[in-house]
């Protein structure tokens, strides 16, 4: 595979252009063109310069392979990377804007028992430009521009553990928010982690005030270990302390994801323990009914149980919402589409 031009910051691109003896304004042309989702081969620069770039860099590092549209308007995208690997993403349409969910790795090695992304382990990390490329491709195909964006919010909740690919994710976030690019503000970005405590602490020092989201899914370490192997490394207490550190450094409230699994974490006793655990913290709880993955024998709760769980949290003073499951008719749960696609031999 060649290198990926979309990995570079504007400053790095400028240095590249100048080292090739070209005028600095070319860097701006290239950066802008790439951020508009253009391929190198259609950049408005002199042909010899395009040829030089093409000899070293991938023309189209992230290509939309297929689009599935749900009845509720949610779109699921299957992206092909330059080496033939596939990743998926979703675009959800809300009143306040369009949120794109992006992948940070091909597969995942965290091994959570309820998640389809981790079934085949981790294949490889995505580079910063491959993460950004998913957004640039969707913004373009949905008719967005750099001024009038079709993608206004981003969540790092596709396949992969963002903090297991730390450097590329931070680089991606800097380019996502950079002047002259697509400029999605960190405030409109959520990063979801299964709770890699050292990276959470490191990230608090990066000066990127996004919404930190932690997949909790249990109220005790013992129960958490049953579904999330990472709980053998870090305790809930350590995670909560890292969240508080993030709040102190950034002033941003954090969010806990809690997927309701029948017979596992969804009793009213769990709701009460969760409320006690989080009482007084600057946080919000996002409940979601488990999206059943056919390779796993875990069951989601009924809508009624989910509602009762929500009310219990709220009555105990916890800010919480029950997330609507969007796009379930097109394989909404993590990694489901890619898994089905590979399984079907459609590659
Ligand atoms: N690796 C990151 C991002 C993963 S996906 C993390 O662990 O946070 C985003 C969220 O979806 C996580 O909270 C994850 O635990 C949850 N999730 C994964 N599979 C799910 C399923 N089948 N049903 C409901 N939620 C699921």
């Amino acid at each position: 595979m060649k290198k990926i031009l979309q990995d570079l910051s504007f400053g790095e691109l400028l240095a590249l252009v100048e080292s090739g003896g070209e005028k600095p304004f070319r860097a701006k042309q290239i950066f802008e063109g790439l951020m508009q989702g253009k391929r190198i081969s259609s950049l408005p620069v002199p042909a010899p310069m395009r040829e030089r770039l093409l000899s070293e860099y991938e023309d189209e590092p992230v290509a939309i392979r297929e689009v599935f549209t749900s009845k509720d308007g949610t779109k699921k995208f299957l992206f092909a990377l330059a080496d033939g690997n596939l990743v998926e993403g979703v675009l959800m349409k809300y009143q306040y804007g369009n949120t794109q969910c992006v992948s940070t790795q091909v597969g995942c090695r965290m091994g959570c028992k309820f998640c389809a992304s981790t079934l085949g382990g981790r294949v490889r990390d995505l580079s910063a430009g491959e993460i950004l490329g998913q957004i640039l491709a969707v913004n373009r195909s949905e008719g967005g521009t750099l001024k009038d964006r079709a993608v206004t919010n981003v969540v790092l909740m596709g396949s992969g553990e963002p903090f297991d690919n730390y450097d590329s994710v931070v680089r991606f976030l800097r380019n996502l928010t950079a002047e002259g690019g697509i400029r999605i503000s960190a405030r409109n970005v959520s990063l979801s982690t299964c709770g890699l405590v050292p990276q959470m602490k490191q990230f608090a020092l990066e000066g990127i005030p996004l919404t930190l989201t932690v997949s909790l899914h249990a109220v005790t370490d013992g129960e958490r270990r049953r579904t999330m192997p990472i709980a053998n490394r870090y305790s809930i207490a350590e995670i909560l302390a890292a969240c508080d550190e993030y709040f102190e450094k950034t002033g941003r409230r954090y969010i806990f994801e809690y997927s309701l699994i029948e017979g596992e974490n969804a009793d009213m006793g769990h709701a009460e323990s969760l409320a006690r655990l989080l009482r007084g913290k600057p946080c919000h709880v996002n409940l979601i009914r488990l999206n059943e993955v056919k390779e796993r024998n875990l069951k989601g709760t009924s809508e009624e149980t989910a509602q009762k769980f929500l009310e219990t949290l709220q009555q105990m003073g916890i800010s919480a919402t029950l997330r609507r499951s969007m796009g379930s008719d097109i394989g909404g749960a993590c990694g489901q589409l890619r898994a089905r696609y590979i399984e079907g031999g459609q590659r």
Side-chain angles (χ1 to χ4, degrees):
M1 217 170 102
K2 295 180 192 169
K3 291 187 283 185
I4 291 175
L5 197 55
Q6 290 83 345
D7 283 351
L8 303 189
S9 67
F10 178 70
E12 290 164 339
L13 200 58
L14 188 62
L16 178 78
V17 164
E18 288 182 327
S19 75
E22 303 280 354
K23 299 234 163 45
F25 79 92
R26 295 288 177 205
K28 194 159 173 263
Q29 273 184 330
I30 297 172
F31 192 69
E32 231 178 71
L34 294 176
M35 295 295 149
Q36 287 163 348
K38 290 196 172 128
R39 303 172 178 221
I40 296 177
S41 53
S42 53
L43 288 177
V45 296
M49 193 175 186
R50 257 199 322 263
E51 291 311 315
R52 258 202 320 279
L53 288 172
L54 281 170
S55 67
E56 270 188 69
Y57 296 92
E58 288 296 343
D59 189 23
E60 191 180 28
V62 182
I64 296 176
R65 171 72 65 84
E66 283 202 55
V67 186
F68 302 82
T69 306
S70 159
K71 290 192 286 265
D72 63 23
T74 301
K75 286 188 182 173
K76 186 122 190 176
F77 296 86
L78 191 68
F79 301 102
L81 305 178
D83 62 358
N85 271 304
L86 301 170
V87 290
E88 58 192 284
V90 188
L91 187 68
M92 293 159 285
K93 306 199 169 169
Y94 296 102
Q95 247 136 31
Y96 57 81
N98 297 335
T99 300
Q100 186 176 347
C101 174
V102 297
S103 292
T104 56
Q105 297 178 314
V106 181
C108 182
R109 58 174 175 175
M110 295 297 124
C112 299
K113 294 282 188 286
F114 42 78
C115 183
S117 294
T118 199
L119 287 168
R122 182 189 64 168
V123 178
R124 72 167 173 90
D125 289 340
L126 297 194
S127 79
E130 288 175 321
I131 305 172
L132 184 61
Q134 297 165 55
I135 296 164
L136 304 180
V138 167
N139 188 51
R140 181 154 204 227
S141 89
E142 292 291 302
T145 62
L146 292 184
K147 278 215 179 83
D148 190 12
R149 290 160 305 195
V151 179
T152 55
N153 300 65
V154 171
V155 296
L156 282 74
M157 294 191 185
S159 61
E161 163 52 44
F163 283 161
D164 189 35
N165 183 16
Y166 187 91
D167 292 344
S168 294
V169 165
V170 168
R171 176 174 270 275
F172 151 73
L173 290 168
R174 298 210 190 281
N175 286 342
L176 180 72
T177 52
E179 201 62 39
I182 189 163
R183 289 184 65 203
I184 295 181
S185 143
R187 297 186 166 271
N188 294 334
V189 178
S190 296
L191 181 152
S192 183
T193 177
C194 62
L196 301 186
V197 170
Q199 289 91 328
M200 288 169 71
K201 293 183 173 182
Q202 190 181 345
F203 191 74
L205 305 173
E206 300 282 358
I208 305 176
L210 49 65
T211 305
L212 184 66
T213 303
V214 179
S215 300
L216 196 58
H217 307 322
V219 287
T220 64
D221 290 321
E223 290 188 355
R224 197 162 186 263
R225 279 182 215 120
R226 289 208 298 255
T227 54
M228 300 182 71
I230 196 64
N232 292 300
R233 288 274 284 283
Y234 307 110
S235 67
I236 292 175
E238 289 171 307
I239 289 174
L240 296 183
C243 288
D244 284 333
E245 231 173 280
Y246 191 77
F247 178 74
E248 275 161 35
K249 296 263 161 41
T250 63
R252 301 300 315 270
R253 282 203 321 166
Y254 44 88
I255 293 181
F256 292 109
E257 298 276 328
Y258 197 96
S259 299
L260 295 162
I261 310 172
E262 188 63 50
E264 182 63 43
N265 65 2
D267 295 347
M268 292 316 118
H270 288 115
E272 286 162 17
S273 307
L274 184 61
R276 279 194 292 273
L277 186 69
L278 303 181
R279 184 171 285 161
K281 294 201 172 290
C283 72
H284 178 83
V285 176
N286 255 332
L287 299 173
I288 183 165
R289 287 161 60 202
L290 186 79
N291 232 319
E292 285 166 23
V293 175
K294 85 171 189 319
E295 292 82 356
R296 309 290 204 190
N297 54 0
L298 296 169
K299 293 256 168 297
T301 61
S302 65
E303 178 69 34
E304 207 186 332
T305 304
Q307 277 297 338
K308 262 179 61 192
F309 199 99
L310 174 69
E311 282 159 24
T312 305
L313 289 181
Q314 289 172 336
Q315 279 159 13
M316 292 180 72
I318 302 293
S319 158
T321 40
L322 175 59
R323 250 198 330 193
R324 271 182 306 144
S325 173
M326 295 179 82
S328 53
D329 54 330
I330 52 168
C334 311
Q336 283 183 355
L337 178 64
R338 172 174 169 266
R340 204 185 303 153
Y341 202 82
I342 292 173
E343 189 181 273
Q346 292 179 64
R347 272 179 99 168

